[in-house]
Amino acid sequence: QAMIVESGGGLVQPGGSLRLSCAASRIYFSAYTMTWYRQAPGKQREFVARITPGTNTYYANSVKGRFAISRDNSRSTVYLQMNSLKPEDTAVYYCNANHTRGVYWGQGTQVTVSS
C-alpha cells in the first residue's frame, strides 16, 4: 500500500516562510502528478499547487507568486515553498498523488499563520 507523509508545518508569523515536504513510498513516484491541497476550518478543501511528471506547474490564484512547488524524483518527495505567508493561508495542507493506477492522500500537516 502506498504511503504519503507530509511534514514541515508549524506556526509562523505573517510575512514568514515555510517549506512543506511530502514523501511518497511504494509508488512509482516519477509517474505521478503531485498536488497540494489545503482545508481551513469550516471550509472546503481547495487546490493549492500541482506539478506533473513533466514538471509543469500550476497554482491557485491566491498563492501565485508566493508559493513554489517542486519535486525530487530521486527522493520521491514533493515540496511546497511558501513565502509571504498570510493569516488566510492557515489550514491543514494535504498532499495528493494521482495516476491512473491509483490516487493517494496523506494525513495532512497544519500550517498556522498568526502573530
Side-chain angles (χ1 to χ4, degrees):
Q1 181 69 16
M3 284 189 63
I4 307 294
V5 180
E6 303 96 336
S7 61
L11 173 64
V12 63
Q13 292 186 342
S17 297
L18 280 176
R19 189 176 80 155
L20 304 184
S21 299
C22 167
S25 58
R26 305 189 194 121
I27 62 172
Y28 186 47
F29 179 80
S30 62
Y32 279 71
T33 292
M34 301 300 296
T35 304
W36 286 97
Y37 293 85
R38 67 186 181 187
Q39 187 167 17
K43 295 188 176 181
Q44 289 189 331
R45 192 170 297 189
E46 64 176 5
F47 165 76
V48 176
R50 174 173 294 132
I51 187 165
T52 68
T55 65
N56 293 317
T57 57
Y58 305 89
Y59 297 94
N61 287 336
S62 59
V63 307
K64 202 171 292 183
R66 300 188 298 121
F67 290 11
I69 189 170
S70 61
R71 66 190 300 158
D72 183 343
N73 289 338
S74 69
R75 297 177 184 270
S76 296
T77 300
V78 63
Y79 303 97
L80 186 67
Q81 178 66 44
M82 305 187 295
N83 300 323
S84 302
L85 282 160
K86 304 175 181 180
E88 51 264 43
D89 294 318
T90 295
V92 178
Y93 284 70
Y94 296 92
C95 181
N96 170 278
N98 192 313
H99 189 270
T100 53
R101 294 188 175 187
V103 179
Y104 306 101
W105 289 90
Q107 293 299 307
T109 185
Q110 175 71 46
V111 172
T112 302
V113 185
S114 175
S115 54

